[in-house]
């Protein structure tokens, strides 16, 4: 068994030198902390890109309001369309 990497290539958290698996995400040698085959290696996405789509914070709340607004607009358009058909 080879020693674990200093930083988990799956989640990026530090891994103790005597650990058999990442204490944060559970990745191990069998499940994929092989540094050559890291699944998302090289994407270089900024951390704030994940915060905007996670549904938490201001972006998540505004996204919920925006979805509700579009639902109301769609319902109004449907009612107007049905009123024209039934006329």
């Amino acid at each position: 068994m080879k020693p674990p990497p200093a930083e988990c290539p799956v989640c990026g958290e530090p891994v103790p030198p005597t650990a058999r698996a990442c204490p944060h995400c559970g990745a191990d040698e069998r499940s994929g902390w092989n540094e050559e085959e890291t699944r998302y290696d090289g994407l270089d996405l900024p951390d704030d890109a994940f915060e905007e789509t996670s549904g938490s914070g201001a972006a998540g709340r505004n996204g919920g309001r925006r979805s509700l607004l579009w639902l109301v607009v769609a319902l109004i358009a449907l009612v107007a369309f049905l009123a024209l058909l039934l006329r």
Side-chain angles (χ1 to χ4, degrees):
M1 183 173 116
K2 70 180 193 177
E7 182 179 286
C8 178
V10 176
C11 69
E13 293 293 318
V15 179
T18 58
R20 291 184 164 198
C22 173
H24 184 71
C25 72
D28 62 5
E29 190 173 304
R30 288 182 300 143
S31 68
W33 70 17
N34 183 353
E35 292 187 38
E36 289 83 36
E37 297 179 16
T38 303
R39 187 172 182 183
Y40 299 110
D41 189 28
L43 289 180
D44 294 328
L45 295 174
D47 290 338
D48 61 343
F50 295 105
E51 293 173 8
E52 291 177 16
T53 60
S54 67
S56 63
R61 286 190 299 272
N62 289 338
R65 288 181 188 154
R66 196 172 303 133
S67 296
L68 180 62
L69 174 67
W70 281 112
L71 178 64
V72 170
V73 169
L75 288 174
I76 291 171
L78 181 63
V79 168
F81 178 73
L82 289 174
L84 287 175
L85 283 178
L86 296 175
R87 191 191 269 199

